[in-house]
Amino acid sequence: MSNFDALIQDLVIANRILAKEEVVDAYGHVSVRHPENSNRFLIARSLAPELVAPEDIVELDLDGQPVREEGRSLYLERFIHAAIYGTRPDIMAVVHAHAEDTLPFGIAQGTKLRPVIHSGSFIGTEVPVWDIADNFGDTNLLVTNMAQASDLAKCLGGNSVALMRGHGFASAARSLIEVVRLSIYLPRNARALMRARQLGGEIKCLSPGEIEARNRGYSPYSVETWRAWEYWANKAGCSHLLTRPDDGRAHPPRG
Ligand SMILES: [Zn+2]
């Protein structure tokens, strides 16, 4: 199997994992930058992530338009991915989702989402909140064009996650495994923070030094990271699609 085909399978696995872990439902999507053309990315056609198969993956440019003739419907909010790849050359994978536990932190203006558990460290020290109303007034809250998506990407800046007021979040990382991991632990971290606030008293977040120490020890294809990917893929019923980075192929980048 070529590296490209393996990447497509990884993207299918990422879709199924995010569905199984309830980060996405009928809506929400994950993409990966094209490994040979940095001005393109790969994402499913408009389909619930749980149902995505390799033949559903399409190739889009950085305006969110298909590079080949495409009769099938595309995600309305695909522009989110296009704008983030366009502004962040370091980013190889993007998720947009509406995970319920993240929503309060985009709505309650006085409470910031911060990493409070070790696995939440990858959300970073700063999680900005983007409000579509600031520059676009009354909309249906969906990001349906490049102007809105670019505004969101600008708010994301150099961070890993931006919350979207009353809507969801966009997350970005250096690989598919990382963006999936980040997007799974983001709502979990949000839940822990919500519950801690209910208990009352001072909230102790991870310190910048702890976040840095966690990032220093992280490698996207380490045994420990692979263990999580394998676990999630198996749980999502798609372990048969797994290809180890060392399965007779060159090592990453696999996106
Ligand atoms: Zn959305």
Side-chain angles (χ1 to χ4, degrees):
M1 180 185 294
S2 71
N3 271 359
F4 186 75
D5 289 341
L7 183 62
I8 297 282
Q9 290 205 171
D10 282 352
L11 184 54
V12 171
I13 292 171
N15 272 276
R16 306 274 190 90
I17 289 175
L18 291 170
K20 184 69 182 177
E21 299 300 320
E22 298 184 335
V23 177
V24 296
D25 46 27
Y27 304 99
H29 17 86
V30 53
S31 68
V32 66
R33 196 190 288 270
H34 195 293
E36 281 128 34
N37 185 340
S38 60
N39 292 321
R40 294 178 180 181
F41 64 98
L42 306 161
I43 190 168
R45 68 183 174 93
S46 182
L47 189 65
E50 184 176 323
L51 305 175
V52 168
E55 58 272 23
D56 298 310
I57 304 300
V58 294
E59 201 171 313
L60 306 185
D61 63 23
L62 295 189
D63 289 321
Q65 300 305 326
V67 301
R68 296 181 194 88
E69 201 172 324
E70 181 57 63
R72 300 174 294 181
S73 296
L74 301 174
Y75 289 129
L76 290 176
E77 297 194 284
R78 61 191 182 277
F79 305 102
I80 293 171
H81 303 255
I84 293 174
Y85 291 123
T87 53
R88 290 281 301 276
D90 58 316
I91 291 305
M92 294 301 286
V94 172
V95 166
H96 166 60
H98 309 144
E100 189 176 332
D101 291 311
T102 65
L103 297 178
F105 294 93
I107 301 167
Q109 308 211 344
T111 305
K112 289 191 166 188
L113 182 58
R114 291 282 181 263
V116 290
I117 55 175
H118 80 296
S119 50
S121 63
F122 304 108
I123 70 176
T125 50
E126 186 69 30
V127 180
V129 178
W130 179 69
D131 187 346
I132 193 169
D134 285 349
N135 287 321
F136 300 95
D138 289 336
T139 64
N140 64 2
L141 276 85
L142 302 180
V143 179
T144 54
N145 60 52
M146 281 307 293
Q148 294 169 342
S150 298
D151 197 50
L152 167 60
K154 192 171 153 194
C155 174
L156 175 68
N159 300 295
S160 300
V161 182
L163 298 179
M164 302 159 71
R165 192 268 304 168
H167 179 174
F169 71 87
S171 59
R174 296 164 297 176
S175 70
L176 264 180
I177 288 184
E178 282 172 273
V179 87
V180 165
R181 179 187 166 111
L182 166 62
S183 303
I184 288 173
Y185 287 124
L186 175 71
R188 198 169 294 184
N189 184 89
R191 276 198 298 278
L193 178 51
M194 286 281 281
R195 287 178 186 156
R197 287 181 65 85
Q198 286 165 359
L199 292 177
E202 188 196 345
I203 298 294
K204 191 157 186 185
C205 302
L206 297 195
S207 71
E210 286 171 334
I211 294 170
E212 171 59 24
R214 295 273 308 157
N215 284 337
R216 237 186 353 257
Y218 179 74
S219 161
Y221 287 89
S222 69
V223 172
E224 292 77 14
T225 306
W226 182 263
R227 191 170 80 198
W229 183 248
E230 195 173 37
Y231 161 72
W232 284 320
N234 189 60
K235 196 173 155 193
C238 54
S239 57
H240 60 288
L241 294 175
L242 283 170
T243 52
R244 289 175 181 278
D246 55 0
D247 277 353
R249 291 179 294 111
H251 260 269
R254 281 256 299 273

